Amino acid sequence: MLLVLLRLSLAPRATELADPHPPGTVENLVVNAGSLELTIGNERHLLGKGDAILFEADVSHQYRNAG
């Protein structure tokens, strides 16, 4: 399993697209401020400050700051 850790800051209304990572890659995401709309494949998750999610990142995914 490959665990990806990164820090991402998104401007208001910005979207960051991510291609699928190699099979077995897992991302652990924690929202430090504001809110985030995370789409993993066809699933959408709305996360707020303090929320966290652990997901298999071997599918396309995107991060969106709707604020």
Side-chain angles (χ1 to χ4, degrees):
M1 172 175 71
L2 173 65
L3 181 61
V4 175
L5 299 173
L6 58 97
R7 182 176 180 155
L8 179 65
S9 295
L10 294 173
R13 297 182 196 77
T15 299
E16 177 80 20
L17 303 175
D19 291 327
H21 297 294
T25 303
V26 174
E27 286 192 23
N28 183 10
L29 185 140
V30 178
V31 178
N32 290 321
S35 61
L36 177 75
E37 181 181 307
L38 172 66
T39 303
I40 307 163
N42 294 322
E43 295 180 20
R44 192 176 92 173
H45 304 268
L46 299 175
L47 305 168
K49 180 180 178 181
D51 288 341
I53 187 170
L54 183 70
F55 66 96
E56 295 180 17
D58 55 359
V59 297
S60 60
H61 48 287
Q62 72 175 22
Y63 315 94
R64 181 171 182 267
N65 179 354

